[in-house]
Amino acid sequence: MQISYKLTKLDYLIYQLYIYETNPKERKKRFFWRSLSVGICLFAIFYISYTSSPTNGFILFLVFILMLCFYPFYVKSSVKKQFKKYIQKYFINSINKEITASYKDNEICVSIQKNNSFNKFSAKDIKKIVKFGDMFYIFVGENTAIIVPNDSPNNLAFTTHIAKALNLGISIENNDKLIRKYL
């Protein structure tokens, strides 16, 4: 079974954001840095209010509240910018190029036209298949996936064929929260 499709920058961006949001290591790292920054700011506020005047501590507290209000917007823009640079650097050769994926003899072969790159993945390497929005992610490693759009019946048949052949279920995850948060 063989399919052909094209992926855009937005498809790669949504995939990178999905990996970023679902990776438990990234979640722990974000929680640690948020907690540490809040703790340092609160310590600075109490230290300044006790060593100098309480007015300086109150002014620093107001600045801290403003920082907390604008922090989500800062994170959103910095993460989006970071992943756009990452996509520009690593996926520039596969954006808007014809991608051909085929499944036979317990192997998935993915080739990108005009780039002459060709990847083979064994069926043993496939960990899970996730339907996320309009895309299927066939994970062949921890954070490596084959992205297949769900825009034609052939693509849907391709992913369900792989899922049935490997006795995997297709987990469906909601992307409304992620798209509203970052895009």
Side-chain angles (χ1 to χ4, degrees), residues 111-164:
S111 63
I112 300 172
Q113 190 181 30
K114 296 182 183 178
N115 190 14
N116 296 331
S117 68
F118 182 74
N119 293 325
K120 276 189 181 182
F121 300 103
S122 173
K124 293 182 281 185
D125 297 336
I126 297 175
K127 306 290 183 211
K128 63 181 176 178
I129 300 174
V130 176
K131 182 183 183 305
F132 187 74
D134 295 337
M135 297 289 168
F136 286 105
Y137 301 138
I138 303 170
F139 282 90
V140 291
E142 182 76 24
N143 290 331
T144 306
I146 300 169
I147 305 170
V148 179
N150 187 19
D151 58 355
S152 73
N154 291 340
N155 295 0
L156 179 62
F158 178 77
T159 51
T160 52
H161 177 70
I162 291 173
K164 286 180 184 175

Side-chain angles (χ1 to χ4, degrees), residues 24 29 33 37 39 43 69 72 74 77 118 122 124 133 138 147 151 156 169 174 183:
K29 189 167 87 172
W33 285 110
S37 61
F43 176 76
C69 291
Y74 167 74
S77 65
F118 182 74
S122 173
K124 293 182 281 185
I138 303 170
I147 305 170
D151 58 355
L156 179 62
N174 191 3
L183 300 179

Side-chain angles (χ1 to χ4, degrees), residues 2 5 12 29 34 47 52 56 64 70 74 81 85-86 104 115 118 131 144 148-149 162 165 168 172 180:
Q2 182 173 343
Y5 55 91
Y12 285 110
K29 189 167 87 172
R34 284 182 197 153
Y47 180 75
S52 65
N56 291 343
F64 174 69
F70 290 109
Y74 167 74
K81 184 191 285 185
K85 285 182 183 178
Y86 181 80
K104 60 182 174 184
N115 190 14
F118 182 74
K131 182 183 183 305
T144 306
V148 179
I162 291 173
L168 292 173
I172 300 172
R180 276 187 274 121

Side-chain angles (χ1 to χ4, degrees), residues 3-9 11-12 91-101 110-117 147 149:
I3 59 170
S4 295
Y5 55 91
K6 291 183 180 182
L7 295 175
T8 63
K9 279 185 181 181
D11 298 333
Y12 285 110
F91 296 109
I92 191 68
N93 294 330
S94 60
I95 294 173
N96 293 327
K97 303 281 197 287
E98 189 74 26
I99 299 172
T100 305
V110 179
S111 63
I112 300 172
Q113 190 181 30
K114 296 182 183 178
N115 190 14
N116 296 331
S117 68
I147 305 170

Side-chain angles (χ1 to χ4, degrees), residues 78-89:
S78 67
V79 166
K80 200 170 168 183
K81 184 191 285 185
Q82 172 190 358
F83 283 131
K84 281 184 179 181
K85 285 182 183 178
Y86 181 80
I87 290 166
Q88 189 68 25
K89 184 175 181 182

Side-chain angles (χ1 to χ4, degrees), residues 16 19 27 39 44 47 50 52 57-58 60-61 67 71 80 101 107 118 127 133-134 143 151-152 156 178 181:
Q16 291 298 325
I19 293 297
R27 286 181 179 213
Y47 180 75
Y50 284 121
S52 65
F58 182 72
L60 193 60
F61 179 73
M67 284 176 42
Y71 181 75
K80 200 170 168 183
E107 284 186 340
F118 182 74
K127 306 290 183 211
D134 295 337
N143 290 331
D151 58 355
S152 73
L156 179 62
L178 178 72
K181 185 174 181 180

